[in-house]
Amino acid sequence: ASARWSRRLFDAHRVQLVPHQRFAMPGYTVKTQHVHVAGAPDLVIRSLLDNQQYADPLGEAAALGISEASWPLFGLVWPSAQKLADLMQGWELGTQRILEIGCGLGLASLVIQRRAGNITASDCHPLTAGFLAANVALNALPPLPYLTGNWGHSNPGLGEFDLIIGSDVLYERDQPLTLAAFIALHAAPSAQVIIIDPNRGNRSLFHRQMALLGFTLSETMIEAPLWDGTPYRGRLLHYQRSLPPA
């Protein structure tokens, strides 16, 4: 059964499992795996075992509008998240204040932290902070700032950022509006926004909302497979807004 489980998860997510690293947690099960990063050492990532996990005994997720079906999504390794992590490995960070939105397991945030960038990870799932702390420890990194980033609510502690990044964050019909409103509050006057989108159908509305905020878009097709040859098709959405000349 163990061999069948390992083979099934490898076929589904195309990541290398660390042998015998499967843990039963209160109400759900996790695994530990290596995730490839282009041009850098692998990340060691603790994630949910699969998309059948669910545990919300105190109703915290339900209170935030997170359904049973969407509950495990934060804790899985997604192809677009791997693409964003690869991009951030080669991105010029400088002194920019960077925010990852809907970070989930925070692959890109971990890459930026490993490169000594000024990164804050954010999400609204009640378990994200704990998984992020575990993965920071697994990769022997210094503490990584994490703040709640709920797009539909006020997040006064976040402040403004020079670079906002995210992956596969437009999968729900209402997300273009709520995400653009969130960005309006937390993007600096001169800012960039980078989204890796696996060709979701909601991006056109998001483009229009970002244009209303003064952002211009450059769009690049991504057709290179994942590191192990798994096919991938998506887009790099790069929005930029600059201060007018003085």
Side-chain angles (χ1 to χ4, degrees):
S2 176
R4 289 196 300 272
W5 168 78
S6 296
R7 185 165 55 251
R8 185 170 68 251
L9 266 292
F10 185 86
D11 290 342
H13 299 293
R14 312 295 286 186
V15 292
Q16 180 183 351
L17 299 182
V18 179
H20 311 303
Q21 295 296 299
R22 183 166 60 166
F23 309 94
M25 304 297 284
Y28 59 91
T29 303
V30 302
K31 66 177 185 283
T32 303
Q33 61 198 49
H34 284 285
V35 176
H36 180 82
V37 178
D42 290 356
L43 290 170
V44 182
I45 297 296
R46 180 171 297 176
S47 65
L48 292 175
L49 174 62
D50 54 34
N51 64 3
Q52 300 303 306
Q53 304 303 307
Y54 175 73
D56 190 25
L58 301 179
E60 295 172 282
L64 294 168
I66 300 171
S67 68
E68 183 173 345
S70 62
W71 187 93
L73 301 183
F74 86 98
L76 304 174
V77 174
W78 295 100
S80 294
Q82 295 180 69
K83 286 292 185 181
L84 182 61
D86 288 345
L87 182 66
M88 289 298 106
Q89 178 58 37
W91 197 266
E92 184 175 344
L93 303 178
T95 59
Q96 296 180 101
R97 190 172 183 224
I98 307 167
L99 175 69
E100 184 176 9
I101 53 176
C103 70
L105 294 173
L107 303 186
S109 291
L110 293 166
V111 165
I112 295 170
Q113 181 75 343
R114 188 164 63 180
R115 295 184 59 207
N118 184 0
I119 178 68
T120 298
S122 69
D123 204 298
C124 67
H125 197 287
L127 293 188
T128 299
F131 272 72
L132 190 63
N135 287 324
V136 164
L138 285 170
N139 291 277
L141 297 175
L144 197 165
Y146 173 83
L147 291 171
T148 299
N150 190 323
W151 305 342
H153 297 79
S154 174
N155 304 272
L158 273 179
E160 293 184 345
F161 294 84
D162 307 302
L163 174 61
I164 297 175
I165 63 173
S167 60
D168 200 0
V169 291
L170 298 171
Y171 55 88
E172 297 284 358
R173 185 175 299 176
D174 64 339
Q175 286 175 330
L177 295 174
T178 56
L179 180 53
F182 178 88
I183 289 172
L185 294 173
H186 299 293
S190 182
Q192 299 180 74
V193 177
I194 293 174
I195 305 293
I196 301 294
D197 182 71
N199 292 331
R200 299 286 187 185
N202 299 315
R203 64 183 180 276
S204 294
L205 176 57
F206 186 64
H207 295 341
R208 295 195 294 272
Q209 295 300 309
M210 292 295 284
L212 292 174
L213 297 175
F215 285 92
T216 58
L217 167 67
S218 62
E219 189 170 338
T220 304
M221 298 296 296
I222 304 174
E223 297 184 341
L226 300 181
W227 68 276
D228 61 351
T230 302
Y232 181 86
R233 290 185 180 274
R235 298 164 192 258
L236 164 59
L237 309 177
H238 185 190
Y239 304 89
Q240 298 184 77
R241 181 175 68 188
S242 300
L243 286 171

